[in-house]
Amino acid sequence: MPDLAWFVVRRLAAAVLVMLALSFAVYLIFYAIPADPANLACGKPCTPDRLEQARHFMQLDQSTIQQYLNFLKGIFAGRTFGDGTAAVHCNAPCFGYSFPLARPVTTLILERLPITASIALGAAVLWLIIGVSLGVVAALNRGRPLDRLSVGFALVGVASPSFLIGLLAILVFGFWLNMVPVSGYIPLTDSPVDWAWHLVTPWLVLAVLQAASYIRLTRAQMMEELNLDHITTARAKGAGEARVVLTHGLRGALVPIVTLFGLDLGGLLGGAILTEKVFSMQGLGDLLISAVAQLDVAVVVGTTLFSAFLIILANLLVDIVHGVLDPRVSHG
Amino acid sequence: MSSSVAGAVSPTRLALRRVRRDRSARAGVALVVGLIVVAAAAPLLVKLAGQDAYTYHIDLLDPARGNAPKGAIGGVSGDHWFGVEPLTGRDLFSIVVLGLRTSLFIAVVVTLITTVVGTLVGISAAYFGGWYDAVVSRLVDFLFGFPQLVFMIALGIIVPGGFPRWLLLILVLSVFGWAGLARLIRNQARSLVAREFVEAARSVGSSGWHVVTRELLPNLLGPVLVVATMAVPGYIGAEAALSFLGVGVPPPTPSLGRSISDSIAWVYTGADPWFLVFPGAALFLAVLGFTLLGDSVRDAFDVRLRRAN
């Protein structure tokens, strides 16, 4: 499929361009701040001499452009602050170095990422399953109680702030019914069962809320698809109802669902950040919020760009899936 | 320019008629009107209750239970209609209605800003087309699939301490908010630009400004209104979420999101779950009311909204 390959290359190039433009903009915005990170590292009493030294060591005395180029170089080749015995190394891919925490930002992110990613990925899988299947069921039972129930559920889901539902879930299922753990994260490598068991409530909370818009979309798309001529043809040719619905109907409905999923990726990360706070898990959100409070610019910029890159990459994947599902996209 | 043709009813009047007939629409309208009245009259209501949101009432707390409020339902009494906040004993009714006021104020202002900006950008992109349209479309695509919450949190670091946080919230939510409307309006306006009446207006030498304000805008009023109404609950939720994360409205200004966040410890220990119930219910009702209203406005104008293009 040369068309598809060409499409992937074009999308990849566009994604790289967006990443470059974005990281440059972020650098301009965040390094124009009045608060000088060197001030914090300088200690007390902070003589002008020591401040200058700190600025030089942290490479803050260079121009913003030079700092940006250093940052880019760090991602591919790593970078070193200072020299001699005091030198600090930050291996590639280096998303900056946190002087207050004395750790490379990449290490900090990688420590926290599994928590946020576990919440986000599990929830996404669940919400696609719940949303699409309930949407299909609703479309097939149009106007009957099952349909009304799905639509009503969708309305409540769209209307509820995730952190509120999360707290209620903890209150009801965690404390009153004592069914599920209420907080904490167990690494997957420690115990896959405990990992999933501690994540069940966060997954369900996020998934149920997000599934709402997928129920609405799938229902509307399926009702439209099932009225099309090729469905009638398939039925006339004697295809079974399950085959008609799943292979012919759902296939047409899949493209808008994939599009919606691409648009929701940014929100997925945001939802995971809110959820981890509700369930007292220390993920990326916690890293970012405490870095903002401590004026740790390197961590703020590193985390922000890292999440943006992650979303751009995920969007790229969604785009490619889109191109495979709907040939018109890659030919266009 | 009225869009009514001889004998026909204008779309706006038709829409109003549909809203009046729809049961969930009426519920939405009643809820929203009620909430707006409460929010607008919040200072008055607080005075009526004889309370304020800042005075500590330590005597109403039970030190034996970790300073949870004395009495049932979080210390509800004739003086404190929603009980008091644990740990400080501040009047919870005042906190909830003033917090609702903050929430609605921010959400409505952001909706106004994003509606104006989104409409202007969308219409101009459709009308002028070319590279301007291409740049706008790219920007909108980009803002759409973006980790907005991460950026909103991160921006907190570059704002000077003296800068009012509520203004920052409005700015940040607006910067990310206009894109959705701009995309929708652009797509709708593009199909209008090709229509005969626009062509006719152009051919008699109307200026671009005239075509945009007199021909395109009246025809887009329905979709604009629908998206604006449906955006409000999103902004209420976003403001609450940021305050919940501790990067929204700073204390001691009452905020629903922050109260909900403060209540976590009291919910976890089971000492005072009512501290979650009152602000939580207020937030839920606000979001639900505007969602119902948005749905009914959409049904009334019969606009088919597509989130994707």
Side-chain angles (χ1 to χ4, degrees):
Chain A
M1 281 192 285
D3 266 344
L4 191 63
W6 179 229
F7 168 74
V8 170
V9 169
R10 268 197 342 246
R11 283 291 150 136
L12 197 65
V16 169
L17 272 180
V18 169
M19 284 184 191
L20 280 175
L22 176 76
S23 53
F24 187 61
V26 165
Y27 245 76
L28 283 185
I29 296 171
F30 283 88
Y31 278 85
I33 47 166
D36 190 341
N39 251 327
L40 294 168
C42 167
K44 285 169 187 169
C46 184
T47 59
D49 254 18
R50 288 188 50 181
L51 182 66
E52 204 39 59
Q53 244 178 336
R55 290 178 61 82
H56 181 68
F57 188 78
M58 294 163 81
Q59 302 181 356
L60 291 169
D61 53 348
Q62 300 167 357
S63 68
T64 308
I65 307 283
Q66 188 59 47
Q67 287 186 46
Y68 173 63
L69 292 178
N70 285 344
F71 176 80
L72 281 190
K73 186 189 142 231
I75 291 182
F76 296 106
R79 57 197 281 206
T80 304
F81 296 91
D83 41 33
T85 48
V88 170
H89 297 285
C90 176
N91 297 330
C94 173
F95 273 85
Y97 189 87
S98 165
F99 287 95
L101 297 173
R103 311 274 298 280
V105 175
T106 312
T107 317
L108 291 168
I109 291 176
L110 289 181
E111 275 172 12
R112 308 296 191 96
L113 185 64
I115 300 178
T116 311
S118 299
I119 299 178
L121 289 178
V125 169
L126 259 183
W127 95 42
L128 282 174
I129 295 175
I130 297 176
V132 173
S133 50
L134 278 186
V136 170
V137 168
L140 294 179
N141 294 282
R142 191 174 182 179
R144 277 182 258 171
L146 214 51
D147 175 33
R148 283 160 185 273
L149 197 70
S150 298
V151 174
F153 168 68
L155 178 69
V156 175
V158 168
S160 312
S162 64
F163 55 95
L164 197 56
I165 300 299
L167 281 173
L168 282 180
I170 292 179
L171 194 62
V172 174
F173 298 106
F175 284 106
W176 294 350
L177 301 178
N178 213 355
M179 283 164 55
V180 287
V182 294
S183 65
Y185 172 80
I186 311 286
L188 178 62
T189 45
D190 284 12
S191 157
V193 176
D194 276 342
W195 170 78
W197 185 231
H198 276 79
L199 283 165
V200 163
T201 330
W203 281 342
L204 278 175
V205 167
L206 256 187
V208 163
L209 296 183
Q210 276 293 336
S213 47
Y214 290 78
I215 296 177
R216 285 178 157 195
L217 181 71
T218 310
R219 177 176 178 270
Q221 287 294 331
M222 280 301 283
M223 292 197 310
E224 205 169 290
E225 285 292 328
L226 290 177
N227 283 328
L228 292 179
D229 288 345
H230 73 270
I231 298 288
T232 317
T233 313
R235 282 215 177 98
K237 284 168 79 177
E241 192 58 26
R243 191 182 151 79
V244 169
V245 170
L246 293 179
T247 41
H248 297 277
L250 193 57
R251 193 179 185 313
L254 267 183
V255 174
I257 293 171
V258 170
T259 311
L260 179 62
F261 187 68
L263 295 176
D264 277 342
L265 283 172
L268 172 61
L269 187 65
I273 285 176
L274 278 168
T275 310
E276 65 182 47
K277 159 111 176 164
V278 173
F279 289 87
S280 322
M281 301 179 179
Q282 270 85 44
L284 274 187
D286 180 68
L287 177 68
L288 181 62
I289 292 170
S290 37
V292 169
Q294 326 230 297
L295 297 178
D296 194 341
V297 189
V299 174
V300 170
V301 169
T303 316
T304 308
L305 283 183
F306 182 81
S307 7
F309 286 2
L310 211 60
I311 298 298
I312 293 171
L313 268 181
N315 257 311
L316 183 70
L317 287 181
V318 169
D319 262 1
I320 292 171
V321 171
H322 208 163
V324 172
L325 277 178
D326 186 356
R328 282 171 305 178
V329 174
S330 49
H331 287 294
Chain B
M1 178 165 293
S2 160
S3 37
S4 62
V5 188
V9 188
S10 84
T12 318
R13 196 161 302 161
L14 209 64
L16 270 177
R17 198 180 290 169
R18 285 200 198 115
V19 168
R20 231 175 287 140
R21 246 183 259 142
D22 181 358
R23 202 156 19 119
S24 75
R26 284 204 305 265
V29 171
L31 205 51
V32 165
V33 170
L35 287 165
I36 289 178
V37 168
V38 168
L44 209 68
L45 286 171
V46 169
K47 226 175 242 163
L48 202 68
Q51 299 296 336
D52 66 79
Y54 308 105
T55 312
Y56 283 31
H57 301 280
I58 306 293
D59 51 308
L60 295 175
L61 304 173
D62 186 357
R65 284 172 48 235
N67 284 325
K70 284 178 192 162
I73 326 181
V76 168
S77 67
D79 286 336
H80 301 284
W81 300 347
F82 286 0
V84 293
E85 191 181 59
L87 207 62
T88 63
R90 289 182 293 190
D91 180 55
L92 198 52
F93 175 74
S94 310
I95 292 179
V96 168
V97 290
L98 289 171
L100 184 69
R101 183 184 166 88
T102 317
S103 266
L104 291 193
F105 171 73
I106 291 180
V108 168
V109 172
V110 172
T111 305
L112 288 178
I113 296 176
T114 52
T115 303
V116 171
V117 173
T119 309
L120 287 181
V121 171
I123 290 191
S124 56
Y127 185 76
F128 294 113
W131 64 266
Y132 174 70
D133 182 30
V135 170
V136 167
S137 300
R138 285 291 100 192
L139 190 61
V140 167
D141 278 350
F142 174 66
L143 280 176
F144 241 82
F146 200 69
Q148 302 186 352
L149 189 70
V150 171
F151 259 69
M152 292 182 190
I153 298 170
L155 283 174
I157 200 173
I158 56 168
V159 179
F163 193 84
R165 297 296 296 224
W166 59 269
L167 190 57
L168 173 71
L169 276 177
I170 289 179
L171 289 177
V172 166
L173 289 172
S174 301
V175 164
F176 288 106
W178 61 273
L181 185 68
R183 164 181 286 181
L184 183 96
I185 293 302
R186 174 195 167 272
N187 292 346
Q188 299 253 339
R190 258 171 75 95
S191 61
L192 286 178
V193 167
R195 297 261 291 273
E196 291 92 344
F197 67 95
V198 177
E199 191 91 354
R202 269 184 180 167
S203 64
V204 296
S206 304
S207 66
W209 177 249
H210 178 94
V211 173
V212 166
T213 54
R214 290 300 167 86
E215 307 293 340
L216 295 179
L217 207 50
N219 279 293
L220 292 168
L221 216 56
V224 169
L225 207 62
V226 172
V227 179
T229 330
M230 294 183 83
V232 179
Y235 294 129
I236 295 176
E239 186 275 325
L242 288 170
S243 297
F244 175 81
L245 290 173
V247 290
V249 187
T253 310
S255 148
L256 294 178
R258 198 180 53 253
S259 287
I260 291 170
S261 156
D262 288 345
S263 76
I264 294 184
W266 302 92
V267 171
Y268 278 10
T269 55
D272 184 16
W274 295 99
F275 185 27
L276 166 66
V277 171
F278 290 109
L283 179 63
F284 180 75
L285 286 180
V287 176
L288 181 69
F290 278 100
T291 307
L292 283 175
L293 183 70
D295 271 9
S296 58
V297 172
R298 181 197 53 196
D299 292 346
F301 278 99
D302 200 22
V303 188
R304 288 214 50 197
L305 287 179
R306 286 177 178 273
R307 278 184 65 179
N309 53 353

